[in-house]
Amino acid sequence: MTDKSPVLLTTERLHLMLLPPDAAERVLAYHVANKDHLGPVSPDRPATFFSTSYWRTRLAQDREDFRHDVSLRVFLLPKGPPLALAPVIGNATLAHIRRGPLQAADLGYGLDHRHEGKGLMTEALRAFCDFAFGAMGLHRLQANHLPENLRSAAVLRRLGFIPEGYARDFLLINGQWRDHVLTSLVAPPEAGVRGGP
């Protein structure tokens, strides 16, 4: 944790950080560079998605969402450059956080196409899931992927996610309802039982 960010996780090669609004240009650069790579597997985006103003507002909202225990979005930054200058090379999100008897969230993620094949996403998500089960007290994470997205399936398998089903017409992507494979990971026994509001 730092004064500037309420969440900062560090792995061998990465920082995972809840970025401030002044990082909007770096986040936009990541999305522009990966428009063709991530677009085909992403839900429809707002018309203003590829603008600095959108990301400045979105990053401010991300902090509010985390403060209100609704979601957590972190961005992946390579270790080495100062945090304020490091390029964004990926993202990970815990969305739709549910408390009470569920203690669950939906996991989403993306990685810059220029950094694939190096194990970075597995490294990042291992730390992110540990944070979800530890500091955040969640019990169950759900992650879904397109059936043909074998790279994503392999990452989830390495992390211990178990396939639970196949959902037809699950998500609207590029104007088409697409099937998804449903997977989940539950907290290790040592995480214990933690209640929540």
PDB file of all heavy atoms in Angstrom, residues 95-114:
ATOM      1  N   ALA A  95     -15.165  -7.883  -9.964  1.00  0.00           N
ATOM      2  CA  ALA A  95     -16.412  -7.150 -10.171  1.00  0.00           C
ATOM      3  C   ALA A  95     -17.553  -7.836  -9.424  1.00  0.00           C
ATOM      4  O   ALA A  95     -17.455  -9.007  -9.038  1.00  0.00           O
ATOM      5  CB  ALA A  95     -16.739  -7.070 -11.664  1.00  0.00           C
ATOM      6  N   HIS A  96     -18.634  -7.085  -9.234  1.00  0.00           N
ATOM      7  CA  HIS A  96     -19.856  -7.632  -8.609  1.00  0.00           C
ATOM      8  C   HIS A  96     -19.548  -8.339  -7.294  1.00  0.00           C
ATOM      9  O   HIS A  96     -19.934  -9.491  -7.086  1.00  0.00           O
ATOM     10  CB  HIS A  96     -20.578  -8.601  -9.561  1.00  0.00           C
ATOM     11  CG  HIS A  96     -20.785  -8.040 -10.928  1.00  0.00           C
ATOM     12  ND1 HIS A  96     -20.249  -8.608 -12.062  1.00  0.00           N
ATOM     13  CD2 HIS A  96     -21.431  -6.936 -11.350  1.00  0.00           C
ATOM     14  CE1 HIS A  96     -20.569  -7.894 -13.120  1.00  0.00           C
ATOM     15  NE2 HIS A  96     -21.290  -6.870 -12.713  1.00  0.00           N
ATOM     16  N   ILE A  97     -18.827  -7.654  -6.406  1.00  0.00           N
ATOM     17  CA  ILE A  97     -18.517  -8.244  -5.104  1.00  0.00           C
ATOM     18  C   ILE A  97     -19.813  -8.436  -4.321  1.00  0.00           C
ATOM     19  O   ILE A  97     -20.607  -7.514  -4.183  1.00  0.00           O
ATOM     20  CB  ILE A  97     -17.536  -7.349  -4.326  1.00  0.00           C
ATOM     21  CG1 ILE A  97     -16.177  -7.294  -5.055  1.00  0.00           C
ATOM     22  CG2 ILE A  97     -17.368  -7.850  -2.888  1.00  0.00           C
ATOM     23  CD1 ILE A  97     -15.191  -6.294  -4.464  1.00  0.00           C
ATOM     24  N   ARG A  98     -20.026  -9.669  -3.874  1.00  0.00           N
ATOM     25  CA  ARG A  98     -21.212  -9.990  -3.065  1.00  0.00           C
ATOM     26  C   ARG A  98     -20.749 -10.450  -1.698  1.00  0.00           C
ATOM     27  O   ARG A  98     -19.878 -11.306  -1.584  1.00  0.00           O
ATOM     28  CB  ARG A  98     -22.029 -11.122  -3.714  1.00  0.00           C
ATOM     29  CG  ARG A  98     -22.904 -10.682  -4.852  1.00  0.00           C
ATOM     30  CD  ARG A  98     -22.229 -10.810  -6.208  1.00  0.00           C
ATOM     31  NE  ARG A  98     -22.068 -12.188  -6.638  1.00  0.00           N
ATOM     32  CZ  ARG A  98     -21.186 -12.563  -7.586  1.00  0.00           C
ATOM     33  NH1 ARG A  98     -20.389 -11.686  -8.161  1.00  0.00           N
ATOM     34  NH2 ARG A  98     -21.096 -13.813  -7.955  1.00  0.00           N
ATOM     35  N   ARG A  99     -21.344  -9.863  -0.657  1.00  0.00           N
ATOM     36  CA  ARG A  99     -20.993 -10.221   0.710  1.00  0.00           C
ATOM     37  C   ARG A  99     -22.059 -11.152   1.297  1.00  0.00           C
ATOM     38  O   ARG A  99     -22.644 -11.936   0.588  1.00  0.00           O
ATOM     39  CB  ARG A  99     -20.813  -8.940   1.530  1.00  0.00           C
ATOM     40  CG  ARG A  99     -19.604  -8.100   1.077  1.00  0.00           C
ATOM     41  CD  ARG A  99     -18.307  -8.865   1.214  1.00  0.00           C
ATOM     42  NE  ARG A  99     -17.135  -8.055   0.880  1.00  0.00           N
ATOM     43  CZ  ARG A  99     -15.888  -8.497   1.019  1.00  0.00           C
ATOM     44  NH1 ARG A  99     -15.637  -9.710   1.460  1.00  0.00           N
ATOM     45  NH2 ARG A  99     -14.870  -7.714   0.688  1.00  0.00           N
ATOM     46  N   GLY A 100     -22.288 -11.058   2.602  1.00  0.00           N
ATOM     47  CA  GLY A 100     -23.254 -11.956   3.235  1.00  0.00           C
ATOM     48  C   GLY A 100     -22.776 -13.386   3.145  1.00  0.00           C
ATOM     49  O   GLY A 100     -21.585 -13.668   3.252  1.00  0.00           O
ATOM     50  N   PRO A 101     -23.695 -14.344   2.902  1.00  0.00           N
ATOM     51  CA  PRO A 101     -23.301 -15.750   2.879  1.00  0.00           C
ATOM     52  C   PRO A 101     -22.540 -16.151   1.615  1.00  0.00           C
ATOM     53  O   PRO A 101     -21.960 -17.231   1.559  1.00  0.00           O
ATOM     54  CB  PRO A 101     -24.636 -16.502   2.961  1.00  0.00           C
ATOM     55  CG  PRO A 101     -25.641 -15.537   2.416  1.00  0.00           C
ATOM     56  CD  PRO A 101     -25.151 -14.165   2.783  1.00  0.00           C
ATOM     57  N   LEU A 102     -22.505 -15.281   0.585  1.00  0.00           N
ATOM     58  CA  LEU A 102     -21.805 -15.626  -0.663  1.00  0.00           C
ATOM     59  C   LEU A 102     -20.306 -15.333  -0.608  1.00  0.00           C
ATOM     60  O   LEU A 102     -19.490 -16.183  -0.944  1.00  0.00           O
ATOM     61  CB  LEU A 102     -22.410 -14.847  -1.839  1.00  0.00           C
ATOM     62  CG  LEU A 102     -23.410 -15.581  -2.719  1.00  0.00           C
ATOM     63  CD1 LEU A 102     -23.896 -14.679  -3.837  1.00  0.00           C
ATOM     64  CD2 LEU A 102     -22.820 -16.856  -3.292  1.00  0.00           C
ATOM     65  N   GLN A 103     -19.928 -14.102  -0.246  1.00  0.00           N
ATOM     66  CA  GLN A 103     -18.518 -13.686  -0.216  1.00  0.00           C
ATOM     67  C   GLN A 103     -17.819 -14.036  -1.535  1.00  0.00           C
ATOM     68  O   GLN A 103     -16.803 -14.739  -1.570  1.00  0.00           O
ATOM     69  CB  GLN A 103     -17.791 -14.342   0.965  1.00  0.00           C
ATOM     70  CG  GLN A 103     -18.344 -13.970   2.322  1.00  0.00           C
ATOM     71  CD  GLN A 103     -18.192 -12.495   2.659  1.00  0.00           C
ATOM     72  OE1 GLN A 103     -17.282 -11.841   2.195  1.00  0.00           O
ATOM     73  NE2 GLN A 103     -19.098 -11.970   3.455  1.00  0.00           N
ATOM     74  N   ALA A 104     -18.388 -13.540  -2.644  1.00  0.00           N
ATOM     75  CA  ALA A 104     -17.903 -13.916  -3.971  1.00  0.00           C
ATOM     76  C   ALA A 104     -17.701 -12.693  -4.852  1.00  0.00           C
ATOM     77  O   ALA A 104     -18.202 -11.604  -4.563  1.00  0.00           O
ATOM     78  CB  ALA A 104     -18.910 -14.868  -4.627  1.00  0.00           C
ATOM     79  N   ALA A 105     -16.956 -12.893  -5.935  1.00  0.00           N
ATOM     80  CA  ALA A 105     -16.749 -11.837  -6.934  1.00  0.00           C
ATOM     81  C   ALA A 105     -16.444 -12.492  -8.274  1.00  0.00           C
ATOM     82  O   ALA A 105     -16.057 -13.663  -8.343  1.00  0.00           O
ATOM     83  CB  ALA A 105     -15.612 -10.916  -6.520  1.00  0.00           C
ATOM     84  N   ASP A 106     -16.609 -11.704  -9.349  1.00  0.00           N
ATOM     85  CA  ASP A 106     -16.293 -12.160 -10.697  1.00  0.00           C
ATOM     86  C   ASP A 106     -14.928 -11.616 -11.093  1.00  0.00           C
ATOM     87  O   ASP A 106     -14.678 -10.411 -10.991  1.00  0.00           O
ATOM     88  CB  ASP A 106     -17.349 -11.664 -11.690  1.00  0.00           C
ATOM     89  CG  ASP A 106     -18.734 -12.211 -11.378  1.00  0.00           C
ATOM     90  OD1 ASP A 106     -18.823 -13.330 -10.842  1.00  0.00           O
ATOM     91  OD2 ASP A 106     -19.722 -11.521 -11.668  1.00  0.00           O
ATOM     92  N   LEU A 107     -14.056 -12.498 -11.560  1.00  0.00           N
ATOM     93  CA  LEU A 107     -12.706 -12.125 -11.951  1.00  0.00           C
ATOM     94  C   LEU A 107     -12.628 -11.897 -13.456  1.00  0.00           C
ATOM     95  O   LEU A 107     -13.078 -12.733 -14.243  1.00  0.00           O
ATOM     96  CB  LEU A 107     -11.731 -13.235 -11.552  1.00  0.00           C
ATOM     97  CG  LEU A 107     -10.283 -13.073 -12.008  1.00  0.00           C
ATOM     98  CD1 LEU A 107      -9.615 -11.913 -11.279  1.00  0.00           C
ATOM     99  CD2 LEU A 107      -9.503 -14.374 -11.774  1.00  0.00           C
ATOM    100  N   GLY A 108     -12.059 -10.757 -13.836  1.00  0.00           N
ATOM    101  CA  GLY A 108     -11.797 -10.478 -15.241  1.00  0.00           C
ATOM    102  C   GLY A 108     -10.369  -9.978 -15.393  1.00  0.00           C
ATOM    103  O   GLY A 108      -9.778  -9.470 -14.440  1.00  0.00           O
ATOM    104  N   TYR A 109      -9.798 -10.104 -16.592  1.00  0.00           N
ATOM    105  CA  TYR A 109      -8.399  -9.721 -16.775  1.00  0.00           C
ATOM    106  C   TYR A 109      -8.065  -9.578 -18.252  1.00  0.00           C
ATOM    107  O   TYR A 109      -8.775 -10.072 -19.128  1.00  0.00           O
ATOM    108  CB  TYR A 109      -7.466 -10.767 -16.135  1.00  0.00           C
ATOM    109  CG  TYR A 109      -7.806 -12.185 -16.524  1.00  0.00           C
ATOM    110  CD1 TYR A 109      -7.249 -12.774 -17.651  1.00  0.00           C
ATOM    111  CD2 TYR A 109      -8.707 -12.930 -15.770  1.00  0.00           C
ATOM    112  CE1 TYR A 109      -7.576 -14.067 -18.021  1.00  0.00           C
ATOM    113  CE2 TYR A 109      -9.042 -14.221 -16.128  1.00  0.00           C
ATOM    114  CZ  TYR A 109      -8.469 -14.789 -17.260  1.00  0.00           C
ATOM    115  OH  TYR A 109      -8.813 -16.058 -17.629  1.00  0.00           O
ATOM    116  N   GLY A 110      -6.985  -8.862 -18.516  1.00  0.00           N
ATOM    117  CA  GLY A 110      -6.486  -8.693 -19.873  1.00  0.00           C
ATOM    118  C   GLY A 110      -4.999  -8.388 -19.823  1.00  0.00           C
ATOM    119  O   GLY A 110      -4.508  -7.835 -18.837  1.00  0.00           O
ATOM    120  N   LEU A 111      -4.291  -8.735 -20.894  1.00  0.00           N
ATOM    121  CA  LEU A 111      -2.848  -8.518 -20.955  1.00  0.00           C
ATOM    122  C   LEU A 111      -2.464  -7.975 -22.321  1.00  0.00           C
ATOM    123  O   LEU A 111      -2.998  -8.416 -23.351  1.00  0.00           O
ATOM    124  CB  LEU A 111      -2.104  -9.836 -20.691  1.00  0.00           C
ATOM    125  CG  LEU A 111      -0.581  -9.748 -20.585  1.00  0.00           C
ATOM    126  CD1 LEU A 111      -0.159  -8.973 -19.342  1.00  0.00           C
ATOM    127  CD2 LEU A 111       0.033 -11.151 -20.552  1.00  0.00           C
ATOM    128  N   ASP A 112      -1.559  -7.019 -22.325  1.00  0.00           N
ATOM    129  CA  ASP A 112      -1.028  -6.456 -23.563  1.00  0.00           C
ATOM    130  C   ASP A 112      -0.492  -7.588 -24.446  1.00  0.00           C
ATOM    131  O   ASP A 112       0.276  -8.435 -23.975  1.00  0.00           O
ATOM    132  CB  ASP A 112       0.105  -5.479 -23.199  1.00  0.00           C
ATOM    133  CG  ASP A 112       0.585  -4.662 -24.377  1.00  0.00           C
ATOM    134  OD1 ASP A 112       0.904  -5.261 -25.428  1.00  0.00           O
ATOM    135  OD2 ASP A 112       0.678  -3.427 -24.247  1.00  0.00           O
ATOM    136  N   HIS A 113      -0.869  -7.576 -25.721  1.00  0.00           N
ATOM    137  CA  HIS A 113      -0.470  -8.664 -26.629  1.00  0.00           C
ATOM    138  C   HIS A 113       1.051  -8.772 -26.763  1.00  0.00           C
ATOM    139  O   HIS A 113       1.574  -9.844 -27.058  1.00  0.00           O
ATOM    140  CB  HIS A 113      -1.098  -8.463 -28.012  1.00  0.00           C
ATOM    141  CG  HIS A 113      -0.593  -7.268 -28.763  1.00  0.00           C
ATOM    142  ND1 HIS A 113      -1.047  -5.986 -28.510  1.00  0.00           N
ATOM    143  CD2 HIS A 113       0.333  -7.154 -29.739  1.00  0.00           C
ATOM    144  CE1 HIS A 113      -0.421  -5.139 -29.318  1.00  0.00           C
ATOM    145  NE2 HIS A 113       0.413  -5.819 -30.066  1.00  0.00           N
ATOM    146  N   ARG A 114       1.773  -7.685 -26.484  1.00  0.00           N
ATOM    147  CA  ARG A 114       3.235  -7.711 -26.591  1.00  0.00           C
ATOM    148  C   ARG A 114       3.897  -8.387 -25.400  1.00  0.00           C
ATOM    149  O   ARG A 114       5.115  -8.604 -25.402  1.00  0.00           O
ATOM    150  CB  ARG A 114       3.761  -6.270 -26.733  1.00  0.00           C
ATOM    151  CG  ARG A 114       3.307  -5.581 -28.013  1.00  0.00           C
ATOM    152  CD  ARG A 114       3.493  -4.090 -27.965  1.00  0.00           C
ATOM    153  NE  ARG A 114       2.588  -3.455 -27.004  1.00  0.00           N
ATOM    154  CZ  ARG A 114       2.394  -2.137 -26.902  1.00  0.00           C
ATOM    155  NH1 ARG A 114       3.050  -1.319 -27.706  1.00  0.00           N
ATOM    156  NH2 ARG A 114       1.567  -1.643 -26.009  1.00  0.00           N
TER     157      ARG A 114
END
